[in-house]
Amino acid sequence: MKLSLTPELQQSINILQYSTYELIDFLHRQANENPVLEISETFKEPPGSSESFIRTHKINSQLRGSSSKSFNGENDYNPINNYSVNTETLENHLLEQMSMLRSLRSIERKILQFLIGNLNEYGYLELDGNWAASHFSVSVEEIEDMIQVLQSLDPIGVGAKDLTDCLLIQLREHEDYNELAYKIVKKHITDLAEKRYRKIAGLYNVTVQEVQEASDFIRTLNPRPVSHFSKDMTHYIVPDVYVEKEKEGFLITVNDSYTPKLSINPYYKNHLAMNPGNKVKDYVKGHINDAQLLLKGLEQRQMTLYKVTATIVEEQQEFFMKGIAGLKPMTLKDISEKLQLHESTISRATSNKYIQTPHGLFKLKNFFTRGLNRVNSQATESTATIKEKIKVLIADEDKIKPFSDQKICQIFENEGTKISRRTIAKYREVLGIPGSSKRRRF
């Protein structure tokens, strides 16, 4: 005995788990392979009269503009097309500055251009000076001179050997030169990262407060000065589902405004009706059947995604009312039992999908979270809520006497949530928050 997946079932599974961009690509490929399919990028009245489709049309009309405004094909206003994208690369930015350096000799320009081309994604120069000197048949000193020229260009810090060198360059060029900060970065970067302020203060015969002020000054520098230069165009996330708060409940919408509309070319249907004995009948009929299965799969995807989202909203009403603090524990099994669907179907329906809520944009998967039991109660609290509370507690703590993990543990227990110190430490590390000794201010 074995279970075989039919091509129809396989296609439905794939369509369900596709993200919006993956679905768009898939539909274009299907339209190219199937001659009976017609594809249109313009917004149309969705087929069917189910609740989800009605809601989808209603909300998309609101998103595209006021109800009185009409949209016609290429004249439709698409806000994505109006985003400004910075296409200037770091290389072009530096080469433009190089062109202004009139005093450079021809060989120096070649070396500088070579150095610019060897910068890594952080703007650091990982290059063997001896090899470069041999390559250009010049002295190592000449290579070093061109590196100095590169490091004088904007942004300050470009061309550094590593993080320490990058910070030192910025400190040297800073209008408020801080000698202590320079010494700390040059010789004690590890101690600085570990916040061993007392050790550094003893080495330079200064107060802990002075070391802390130097540390604050260093934190104003940019460890990645070229981060605002992008090699690729900005990618935007398109929500797959919208949830809006209304006077009586929530409006749930499956977003299909960016999905191309598919239809079957009526010419081929008429051809079958008029030429039932034609030799190409089986060929055309096969493609029409494939097209109908695809359209059915798309409708099933919309319905499943709507039902899953509606159930999530029903289960997580506190979140949609209050935000992350209202998120409660929920599993795939909870949703699958309510909808009488397999857990794998719920997983595929929420995979790579985003939901726009009154409290921001989230992955649908974010709503599935484990929980911790509350003291003397059957209620549980989600891990996401616990993490959010830890962030708030630490943000509001006394910086001179920050909370230890044990203290945070006690605060939770006093509020009725049973949690171990080790779990607090794990969540704090996941949030990227250092321990109390490293958070302490002097």
Side-chain angles (χ1 to χ4, degrees):
M1 297 289 290
K2 68 176 183 178
L3 180 65
S4 297
L5 290 177
T6 65
E8 177 184 357
L9 183 56
Q10 287 178 330
Q11 180 171 265
S12 295
I13 289 173
N14 290 332
I15 290 175
L16 183 60
Q17 65 188 7
Y18 284 150
S19 67
T20 298
Y21 284 118
E22 290 171 335
L23 180 63
I24 292 171
D25 181 63
F26 172 74
L27 295 181
H28 278 287
R29 283 189 279 112
Q30 291 297 306
N32 288 334
E33 295 171 4
N34 192 333
V36 308
L37 276 175
E38 285 189 338
I39 190 166
S40 172
E41 303 292 344
T42 58
F43 179 76
K44 296 180 181 179
E45 180 74 25
S49 59
S50 66
E51 184 180 15
S52 64
F53 281 117
I54 294 172
R55 286 172 177 261
T56 301
H57 178 51
K58 178 181 178 182
I59 191 68
N60 282 339
S61 297
Q62 293 173 358
L63 289 171
R64 290 169 177 267
S66 63
S67 58
S68 61
K69 183 176 180 180
S70 62
F71 297 89
N72 300 304
E74 296 179 357
N75 293 325
D76 284 7
Y77 169 72
N78 186 350
I80 297 297
N81 294 334
N82 289 272
Y83 278 112
S84 174
V85 179
N86 179 15
T87 57
E88 183 182 26
T89 64
L90 173 64
E91 184 175 6
N92 288 339
H93 181 66
L94 294 172
L95 290 175
E96 183 178 354
Q97 294 177 72
M98 186 186 77
S99 67
M100 302 293 184
L101 303 176
R102 305 297 183 186
S103 61
L104 292 179
R105 295 179 290 119
S106 176
I107 185 63
E108 290 176 332
R109 289 184 181 278
K110 289 181 180 179
I111 294 172
L112 185 54
Q113 187 172 2
F114 175 77
L115 296 177
I116 290 172
N118 278 275
L119 295 173
N120 66 17
E121 60 182 312
Y122 304 118
Y124 298 159
L125 182 63
E126 300 172 344
L127 185 69
D128 185 344
N130 291 318
W131 181 89
S134 174
H135 178 74
F136 285 100
S137 300
V138 297
S139 67
V140 176
E141 288 72 20
E142 288 179 89
I143 298 295
E144 292 294 335
D145 287 343
M146 288 301 99
I147 292 177
Q148 292 294 321
V149 173
L150 173 60
Q151 293 177 352
S152 70
L153 301 179
D154 177 77
I156 299 299
V158 70
K161 293 181 293 184
D162 50 32
L163 173 61
T164 300
D165 193 31
C166 178
L167 296 177
L168 290 175
I169 293 170
Q170 293 180 62
L171 285 168
R172 284 197 298 266
E173 297 293 331
H174 205 285
E175 57 183 7
D176 297 322
Y177 178 72
N178 188 312
E179 185 177 0
L180 179 59
Y182 191 88
K183 290 178 180 178
I184 291 173
V185 170
K186 189 172 184 179
K187 297 182 179 180
H188 308 286
I189 192 74
T190 302
D191 290 327
L192 178 68
E194 296 296 326
K195 294 197 173 183
R196 297 170 185 151
Y197 295 161
R198 295 187 185 280
K199 176 183 176 181
I200 298 171
L203 289 172
Y204 292 101
N205 195 27
V206 295
T207 65
V208 175
Q209 287 81 359
E210 287 178 292
V211 175
Q212 186 170 264
E213 289 171 2
S215 174
D216 292 340
F217 181 75
I218 293 167
R219 291 179 186 278
T220 65
L221 306 177
N222 189 351
R224 296 184 181 180
V226 302
S227 58
H228 60 287
F229 291 97
S230 177
K231 293 183 179 180
D232 300 310
M233 289 185 65
T234 304
H235 295 282
Y236 297 95
I237 294 174
V238 176
D240 298 272
V241 189
Y242 291 88
V243 176
E244 288 191 337
K245 180 73 175 70
E246 293 194 325
K247 291 182 179 179
E248 299 179 358
F250 297 90
L251 179 65
I252 301 167
T253 304
V254 177
N255 179 24
D256 65 350
S257 57
Y258 298 105
T259 307
K261 311 303 174 188
L262 294 181
S263 59
I264 298 175
N265 191 319
Y267 168 80
Y268 292 99
K269 286 185 176 181
N270 296 334
H271 181 80
L272 277 182
M274 296 177 64
N275 303 282
N278 195 293
K279 292 181 180 181
V280 298
K281 172 186 175 182
D282 291 340
Y283 173 82
V284 174
K285 188 175 182 180
H287 280 294
I288 288 179
N289 288 338
D290 290 341
Q292 289 173 336
L293 290 176
L294 177 60
L295 294 174
K296 183 180 178 181
L298 288 172
E299 186 172 353
Q300 287 177 338
R301 177 186 187 272
Q302 299 289 85
M303 289 295 297
T304 302
L305 188 52
Y306 174 79
K307 289 178 181 178
V308 169
T309 304
T311 307
I312 290 174
V313 172
E314 182 182 347
E315 290 292 301
Q316 298 284 2
Q317 285 194 38
E318 285 295 305
F319 165 84
F320 289 94
M321 294 293 292
K322 301 177 181 178
I324 195 72
L327 190 65
K328 70 176 187 179
M330 185 178 70
T331 64
L332 292 171
K333 186 177 180 181
D334 295 332
I335 303 300
S336 68
E337 288 179 348
K338 278 188 170 292
L339 292 176
Q340 296 298 304
L341 295 172
H342 197 275
E343 284 184 45
S344 63
T345 301
I346 307 300
S347 178
R348 291 188 181 97
T350 55
S351 179
N352 302 316
K353 308 291 193 309
Y354 287 85
I355 178 172
Q356 183 68 53
T357 76
H359 306 287
L361 185 69
F362 296 87
K363 285 184 177 180
L364 269 174
K365 287 284 189 183
N366 289 352
F367 290 92
F368 300 100
T369 176
R370 294 176 296 173
L372 295 169
N373 293 325
R374 294 184 65 83
V375 178
N376 300 323
S377 173
Q378 296 296 319
T380 55
E381 195 164 15
S382 74
T383 55
T385 303
I386 297 290
K387 291 175 185 176
E388 186 67 19
K389 286 185 177 180
I390 291 173
K391 284 172 62 176
V392 173
L393 278 172
I394 292 177
D396 295 338
E397 69 185 356
D398 182 350
K399 303 305 179 184
I400 297 177
K401 295 180 180 180
F403 293 136
S404 64
D405 293 338
Q406 185 60 44
K407 179 62 178 177
I408 295 174
C409 179
Q410 291 174 359
I411 293 172
F412 273 101
E413 287 188 0
N414 292 338
E415 293 179 352
T417 301
K418 188 177 181 181
I419 187 171
S420 68
R421 184 197 60 79
R422 184 176 297 180
T423 302
I424 291 290
K426 182 178 73 172
Y427 290 170
R428 176 178 52 73
E429 290 170 2
V430 168
L431 292 168
I433 300 173
S436 57
S437 61
K438 294 180 182 179
R439 301 198 307 272
R440 183 184 176 191
R441 301 284 296 180
F442 295 92

